[in-house]
Amino acid sequence: MTELYKGHPKHLLAVDCVIFGYKDEELKLLLYPRSFEPVKGKWSLMGGFVQENESCEEAAARVLYETTGLENIFLEQVSAFSHPEREPQVRVVSVVYYSLIRIQDQDHELVSAHGAKWWPLTRLPELIFDHSNMVRKALGRLQQKAGYSLAGIELLPERFTLLQLRKLYEAIYQREFDAGNFRKKILSLELLHKTSEKNYTESRKGAFYYTVEPGLTEVETERIVKF
Amino acid sequence: MTELYKGHPKHLLAVDCVIFGYKDEELKLLLYPRSFEPVKGKWSLMGGFVQENESCEEAAARVLYETTGLENIFLEQVSAFSHPEREPQVRVVSVVYYSLIRIQDQDHELVSAHGAKWWPLTRLPELIFDHSNMVRKALGRLQQKAGYSLAGIELLPERFTLLQLRKLYEAIYQREFDAGNFRKKILSLELLHKTSEKNYTESRKGAFYYTVEPGLTEVETERIVKF
DNA sequence: ACAAAAGTGTTTAGATTACACCCATGA
DNA sequence: TCATGGGTGTAATCTAAACACTTTTGT
């Protein structure tokens, strides 16, 4: 039966990772400069080729690990990009993932060893090939995801204040939210756990730290939220 | 520079099509029986291999054309499936699309030449490999899409009554909608054009036929609808 | 005292939902 | 005349959104 598979072309298969981070009340993207022609010097998503024995998701996790040193990262497939001429000279089909990482957790040396740099999402440099498209689509997915889950929290430290969470959502959706309404909506989901400690660095009064309600599975953090 | 691409494995790349139809107030799926081992006799999605000179989307459109005779079909990517052992014996990475077709428009001879059969979505036979997963994910995407667009209309004839549209939505979401409320919500979108003709086959009184408001692009048919 | 964030409460507008009700008509 | 879907109207409920107001505390 395997001869039915013969005669069909084989393709180079890559993954590209849209790596989101969050710092200074801004969404950031981890990019690295392409070091060879064509389009040498232009900025690029982190990518790599899918090996024989790994799935695309595993390849993306590997790329993430190799470039940031991080494991067990939130990772979600965006789409396959497969236009025959999406890269010049060589045909590569690329499966795009986006991931959410805590910038403060990254392996600095490893990241800088790749010449990588965190760019503010709103002021990106020119990207190679169809990578801008990939980013746009990934952001759309992130916005969608954040609308019915607390996945965005993967960008924040383990504990965070509601101000920090609101600023994160403002960065994700590129718009402002009313502080009082945001607080009530988020708390009404009953997915957050109020700790007994306060953060005093951002206000005189001090804001309680929250964590994700312990014991919640990913599915359980999903509620319809209309942001 | 192309030697940078050397040494990386190449993969068989396939597309699988989740082909939705609608008939007798039910969502249907077009499946065909696998005619060779392994898992001979089990039912399968329509699939095909991606050629050198085509994108995955083009390959999916080609598969659709080859099996149903239809062109210019609504087609949307679901996801890439790439687990190394998702098919026994041979590693194939598959990009899944779902499509919405009007069953009455299909080329009957062509479809039956493949031994294909329309199955009610709620009573599917056992499917090969990970195809059940693909179907589940595709249905999720269709439900999502139908929630903010009128894409589902691709499953109905050019003109349709509001009863037919409601029954379609009930089939997509597997739940009932209040007739009056559904009517008001749909019409409030101002995306439908009321024709002057009536359908008398489903009610004594006769229900006006509607069409999609002419001149609307796909984007313009998108509104937030909470179904 | 003031500013700035924390946190609570209120009011309004709009959407959702359930459901009543009349219309038209073939059997 | 009855059943059935077509089509409209309304009242109760829920949610989103705007915004007022009080608390806390370092400067």
Side-chain angles (χ1 to χ4, degrees):
Chain A
M1 49 283 177
T2 53
E3 62 270 15
L4 281 160
Y5 297 99
K6 294 275 171 61
H8 294 292
K10 290 188 147 197
H11 304 262
L12 282 171
L13 188 61
V15 291
D16 283 304
C17 295
V18 180
I19 305 177
F20 290 108
Y22 177 70
K23 207 183 165 189
D24 304 330
E25 306 192 352
E26 274 192 328
L27 274 189
K28 313 276 189 186
L29 221 54
L30 188 59
L31 301 172
Y32 73 102
R34 188 167 163 105
S35 55
F36 49 91
E37 297 297 343
V39 293
K40 178 175 171 175
K42 268 206 202 174
W43 293 80
S44 162
L45 296 173
M46 301 288 183
F49 287 94
V50 178
Q51 301 304 308
E52 291 286 9
N53 58 342
E54 66 182 359
S55 66
C56 293
E57 178 153 350
E58 286 163 352
R62 176 174 54 75
V63 166
L64 262 170
Y65 177 67
E66 288 168 0
T67 54
T68 67
L70 298 174
E71 292 179 279
N72 291 116
I73 292 303
F74 177 93
L75 200 59
E76 198 158 277
Q77 189 181 131
V78 177
S79 186
F81 286 73
S82 61
H83 190 283
E85 273 103 36
R86 52 172 294 277
E87 289 197 28
Q89 299 165 13
V90 185
R91 148 95 119 153
V92 181
V93 172
S94 176
V95 178
V96 175
Y97 287 79
Y98 78 90
S99 59
L100 307 178
I101 83 166
R102 304 181 221 277
I103 297 183
Q104 66 275 17
D105 289 355
Q106 74 180 357
D107 180 333
H108 273 283
E109 283 182 41
L110 200 54
V111 169
S112 40
H114 286 85
K117 202 189 143 209
W118 286 99
W119 290 80
L121 188 63
T122 54
R123 281 155 285 143
L124 292 182
E126 202 178 341
L127 302 186
I128 63 168
F129 311 150
D130 47 2
H131 285 203
S132 300
N133 255 321
M134 295 174 173
V135 170
R136 187 169 340 114
K137 229 169 175 169
L139 177 61
R141 287 295 182 85
L142 171 58
Q143 291 176 336
Q144 197 180 305
K145 183 88 182 177
Y148 64 89
S149 81
L150 290 181
I153 277 179
E154 306 276 336
L155 292 161
L156 292 179
E158 188 116 345
R159 50 183 213 169
F160 47 84
T161 66
L162 291 177
L163 174 62
Q164 290 165 346
L165 185 59
R166 175 164 59 86
K167 291 293 184 186
L168 170 67
Y169 266 82
E170 291 179 347
I172 291 176
Y173 287 100
Q174 323 252 47
R175 70 180 190 86
E176 298 194 341
F177 294 100
D178 177 273
N181 294 338
F182 182 86
R183 153 185 301 273
K184 275 175 288 184
K185 183 185 270 184
I186 286 287
L187 291 180
S188 74
L189 300 177
E190 303 193 342
L191 297 173
L192 295 188
H193 170 70
K194 184 180 188 171
T195 71
S196 53
E197 284 144 295
K198 279 187 161 188
N199 170 316
Y200 290 96
T201 66
E202 287 166 321
S203 78
R204 327 280 192 196
K205 189 177 174 181
F208 281 105
Y209 278 118
Y210 285 80
T211 61
V212 176
E213 193 66 56
L216 283 184
T217 67
E218 191 185 329
V219 173
E220 289 168 321
T221 65
E222 301 192 356
R223 299 280 190 288
I224 297 296
V225 192
K226 200 178 135 214
F227 281 111
Chain B
M1 48 283 171
T2 52
E3 61 269 16
L4 280 160
Y5 297 98
K6 294 276 169 64
H8 295 292
K10 290 188 148 195
H11 303 261
L12 283 172
L13 188 61
V15 291
D16 284 304
C17 295
V18 179
I19 306 176
F20 289 108
Y22 176 70
K23 208 183 164 190
D24 302 331
E25 307 193 352
E26 276 191 325
L27 275 189
K28 313 276 189 188
L29 220 55
L30 189 58
L31 301 173
Y32 74 100
R34 188 164 161 109
S35 55
F36 49 90
E37 297 295 344
V39 292
K40 178 174 171 178
K42 267 207 204 174
W43 293 80
S44 162
L45 296 172
M46 301 288 184
F49 287 93
V50 178
Q51 301 303 309
E52 289 287 10
N53 59 341
E54 65 183 358
S55 65
C56 292
E57 178 153 350
E58 286 162 352
R62 177 175 53 76
V63 166
L64 261 172
Y65 177 68
E66 289 168 358
T67 53
T68 67
L70 298 173
E71 292 180 281
N72 292 116
I73 292 303
F74 176 93
L75 201 58
E76 199 158 275
Q77 187 181 134
V78 177
S79 186
F81 286 72
S82 62
H83 189 284
E85 274 103 36
R86 54 172 292 277
E87 290 197 27
Q89 299 166 12
V90 186
R91 148 95 118 153
V92 181
V93 172
S94 175
V95 178
V96 174
Y97 288 78
Y98 78 90
S99 59
L100 307 178
I101 83 164
R102 304 181 222 277
I103 296 183
Q104 67 276 15
D105 290 354
Q106 73 180 357
D107 181 332
H108 273 282
E109 282 182 44
L110 200 53
V111 169
S112 39
H114 287 85
K117 202 190 145 210
W118 286 99
W119 290 80
L121 188 64
T122 53
R123 282 156 285 146
L124 292 183
E126 202 178 341
L127 303 185
I128 63 168
F129 310 152
D130 48 0
H131 286 204
S132 301
N133 255 322
M134 295 174 173
V135 171
R136 186 168 340 116
K137 226 168 177 171
L139 176 62
R141 286 296 181 85
L142 170 57
Q143 291 177 336
Q144 198 181 305
K145 183 87 181 179
Y148 65 89
S149 83
L150 290 182
I153 277 177
E154 306 275 337
L155 291 162
L156 291 179
E158 187 114 346
R159 50 181 211 170
F160 46 85
T161 65
L162 292 178
L163 174 61
Q164 290 166 347
L165 185 59
R166 176 164 57 85
K167 291 293 183 186
L168 170 67
Y169 267 82
E170 291 179 347
I172 291 176
Y173 288 100
Q174 321 253 52
R175 70 179 190 87
E176 300 195 337
F177 294 99
D178 177 275
N181 294 338
F182 182 86
R183 155 185 300 273
K184 275 175 288 186
K185 183 184 268 182
I186 286 287
L187 291 180
S188 74
L189 301 175
E190 302 191 344
L191 297 172
L192 294 187
H193 170 70
K194 184 181 189 172
T195 72
S196 53
E197 283 144 295
K198 278 187 162 189
N199 170 315
Y200 290 95
T201 67
E202 286 166 321
S203 77
R204 328 281 190 195
K205 189 175 174 180
F208 281 105
Y209 279 118
Y210 286 79
T211 61
V212 175
E213 193 67 56
L216 284 185
T217 67
E218 191 184 330
V219 174
E220 289 169 320
T221 65
E222 301 193 357
R223 299 280 190 288
I224 296 295
V225 191
K226 201 178 133 214
F227 281 112

